[in-house]
Amino acid sequence: MGNCFGRTAKVDRSLSNTAMEVPIKDGHTSSFSYLKASTSHGKNTPGSILIPRSEGDILSSPHLKAFTFDELRNATRNFRPDSLIGEGGFGYVYKGWIDEQTLAAMKPGCGMVVAVKKLKPEGFQGHKEWLSEVNYLGQLHHPNLVKLIGYCLDGDNRLLVYEYMPKGCLENHLFRRGAQPLAWAARIKVAIGAAHGLAFLHDSEQPVIYRDFKASNILLDSEFNAKLSDFGLAKAGPTGDRTHVTTQVMGTQGYAAPEYIATGRLTTKCDVYSFGVVLLELLSGRTVVDKTKVGVERNLLEWARPYLTDRRKLFRIMDTKLEGQYPQKGAYMVALLAVQCTSEAKVRPQMDEVLAVLDELPNGKDTKKPSKVKQQAVSNPGSNSAFRHHKPSHPNIPSQRPTCVGS
């Protein structure tokens, strides 16, 4: 369900691996009954827990505008092909224009630019996922979550209106042929922003599990600030004495945590695993599953395994597009953090601990004492690692990836 939208009207279909999320085995589906309210700030301190919400309550959110289909048709110039900026299994994303104050449709080039996602009736994202996105993004507000402006529910038409993210998605910047190489500083900025978003979701009496963290769902603004998008698979996490929620297994090959695939038990540590995979993509410039490769190189985690904990060998998996322009110690710290994030669930760090390590990354010199997570990784980087105990993918998850539009 991932999608990217950037500043150009050209639709990118260059990636050979299109993706989707599908159930991979039977399970008990958890409803999204409880949500946390929040304030809009950089710290991860959500507010109080809300009561269960019906569809009517969700769609009557005071934070969202209920658009008519005609309004969005006018805003996108009747969904013209030259307004199309993204396409995936869910449907299409169009560039549109609305008045910043009244949110009324405007002529192209006037008012505020928005991204309008129009679901295919036969697409992989159904009404439940569409409603989940309205539910969560209608309440959750944070600098590192994409802003949902409104929605449209008109007969079989289901649309979502988002803030426009001019730099598109991280996936395009890392993997699309011909893309301008992403500098090391920008990669770390993206990682820190995405970590803030996940930590915000997790840090609550009633945590929210994102469940769909991957490069195509990390959108970038004009200054490469990262924002998480696509909450169709998000779930309310466990509370009280509960250690997990049991749900139908959904995910994208390579990103889903092995224990979740095996048992259907979902925890915030599943998001941490996915974050570790994206860290490896940021380091290597390689996608987690690459069908153009053969043997061990097809799977990023398997290929990177021998090099991540050896400072002298780490350069062998670093993205060649960086041309060596990165701090060696900083890269090694990120590699060790990725090892910790993709280890067995019981020894994975929490996202606030991950964020603390990222905030300590050196800019040419070391000025801070290593955090607990980093010390554990340095002292025994191979212990309990997922590189020993788990295959990072599952044969029943499709190896396809979503189509994205870059900058």
Side-chain angles (χ1 to χ4, degrees), residues 42-253:
K43 295 184 179 181
N44 307 311
T45 53
S48 60
I49 298 174
L50 298 183
I51 61 174
R53 288 158 56 83
S54 66
E55 178 169 332
D57 290 335
I58 293 169
L59 298 181
S60 61
S61 170
H63 305 295
L64 301 176
K65 175 179 171 61
F67 289 91
T68 67
F69 186 73
D70 285 341
E71 284 178 317
L72 296 183
R73 183 161 49 195
N74 292 334
T76 59
R77 297 185 293 179
N78 199 26
F79 303 104
R80 280 170 41 168
D82 57 357
S83 295
L84 183 65
I85 56 174
E87 180 180 356
F90 60 88
Y92 307 95
V93 178
Y94 296 87
K95 191 174 184 178
W97 289 264
I98 61 176
D99 184 90
E100 193 165 356
Q101 300 299 322
T102 66
L103 304 184
M106 299 288 288
K107 293 181 179 180
C110 300
M112 177 175 64
V113 183
V114 294
V116 180
K117 183 162 76 170
K118 185 175 185 288
L119 274 63
K120 297 176 183 177
E122 73 283 4
F124 298 107
Q125 187 174 31
H127 180 74
K128 180 182 176 182
E129 289 79 13
W130 176 87
L131 190 63
S132 177
E133 183 131 6
V134 176
N135 191 21
Y136 283 97
L137 289 180
Q139 298 185 82
L140 299 174
H141 306 283
H142 186 272
N144 298 110
L145 304 185
V146 70
K147 181 180 179 181
L148 180 66
I149 297 170
Y151 65 88
C152 172
L153 177 59
D154 186 348
D156 291 334
N157 295 307
R158 286 165 177 78
L159 301 93
L160 296 168
V161 182
Y162 305 90
E163 65 176 313
Y164 183 70
M165 301 295 284
K167 292 295 185 182
C169 66
L170 175 62
E171 182 178 60
N172 279 340
H173 290 275
L174 290 179
F175 311 132
R176 191 178 65 178
R177 290 184 179 179
Q180 184 72 21
L182 200 59
W184 175 258
R187 297 182 194 215
I188 298 306
K189 183 176 184 178
V190 170
I192 291 174
H196 270 292
L198 281 181
F200 171 74
L201 296 176
H202 294 176
D203 189 12
S204 173
E205 182 181 355
Q206 171 67 77
V208 173
I209 303 172
Y210 185 48
R211 202 167 56 143
D212 203 17
F213 188 85
K214 55 187 177 182
S216 63
N217 278 347
I218 302 173
L219 301 185
L220 308 173
D221 69 10
S222 59
E223 297 181 350
F224 288 96
N225 293 304
K227 301 193 180 189
L228 306 186
S229 69
D230 201 335
F231 279 67
L233 294 184
K235 289 289 181 183
T239 58
D241 295 333
R242 299 173 64 198
T243 60
H244 62 273
V245 293
T246 303
T247 181
Q248 185 179 25
V249 177
M250 307 285 283
T252 301
Q253 184 179 11

Side-chain angles (χ1 to χ4, degrees), residues 280-300:
L280 291 180
E281 292 182 326
L282 286 166
L283 284 173
S284 66
R286 293 196 182 198
T287 181
V288 64
V289 177
D290 189 346
K291 285 190 170 183
T292 68
K293 304 291 184 181
V294 296
V296 70
E297 288 196 40
R298 177 171 291 196
N299 187 290
L300 176 59

Side-chain angles (χ1 to χ4, degrees), residues 6-26:
R7 64 182 171 220
T8 65
K10 181 180 178 182
V11 180
D12 181 8
R13 299 184 180 87
S14 62
L15 296 177
S16 60
N17 298 326
T18 55
M20 65 190 77
E21 294 77 16
V22 297
I24 63 175
K25 72 173 187 177
D26 292 335

Side-chain angles (χ1 to χ4, degrees), residues 203-370:
D203 189 12
S204 173
E205 182 181 355
Q206 171 67 77
V208 173
I209 303 172
Y210 185 48
R211 202 167 56 143
D212 203 17
F213 188 85
K214 55 187 177 182
S216 63
N217 278 347
I218 302 173
L219 301 185
L220 308 173
D221 69 10
S222 59
E223 297 181 350
F224 288 96
N225 293 304
K227 301 193 180 189
L228 306 186
S229 69
D230 201 335
F231 279 67
L233 294 184
K235 289 289 181 183
T239 58
D241 295 333
R242 299 173 64 198
T243 60
H244 62 273
V245 293
T246 303
T247 181
Q248 185 179 25
V249 177
M250 307 285 283
T252 301
Q253 184 179 11
Y255 293 100
E259 75 279 1
Y260 173 52
I261 296 172
T263 67
R265 294 180 176 181
L266 187 65
T267 71
T268 56
K269 294 294 186 75
C270 297
D271 284 344
V272 176
Y273 180 91
S274 303
F275 186 85
V277 173
V278 172
L279 282 182
L280 291 180
E281 292 182 326
L282 286 166
L283 284 173
S284 66
R286 293 196 182 198
T287 181
V288 64
V289 177
D290 189 346
K291 285 190 170 183
T292 68
K293 304 291 184 181
V294 296
V296 70
E297 288 196 40
R298 177 171 291 196
N299 187 290
L300 176 59
L301 271 70
E302 291 293 332
W303 171 70
R305 178 193 302 170
Y307 310 110
L308 291 173
T309 58
D310 190 328
R311 189 193 297 262
R312 294 171 298 179
K313 295 181 180 180
L314 182 61
F315 75 93
R316 297 181 182 178
I317 63 105
M318 294 297 294
D319 191 348
T320 57
K321 295 188 292 294
L322 286 168
E323 298 182 338
Q325 299 301 305
Y326 58 87
Q328 293 184 7
K329 183 170 184 180
Y332 184 57
M333 289 171 63
V334 173
L336 294 179
L337 183 58
V339 171
Q340 286 288 298
C341 290
T342 53
S343 64
E344 288 187 350
K346 63 183 179 182
V347 296
R348 283 177 212 153
Q350 301 287 349
M351 279 309 305
D352 57 352
E353 296 176 296
V354 171
L355 187 55
V357 175
L358 292 173
D359 283 338
E360 293 172 355
L361 288 177
N363 291 320
K365 59 176 81 173
D366 298 318
T367 59
K368 297 183 179 180
K369 182 179 179 181

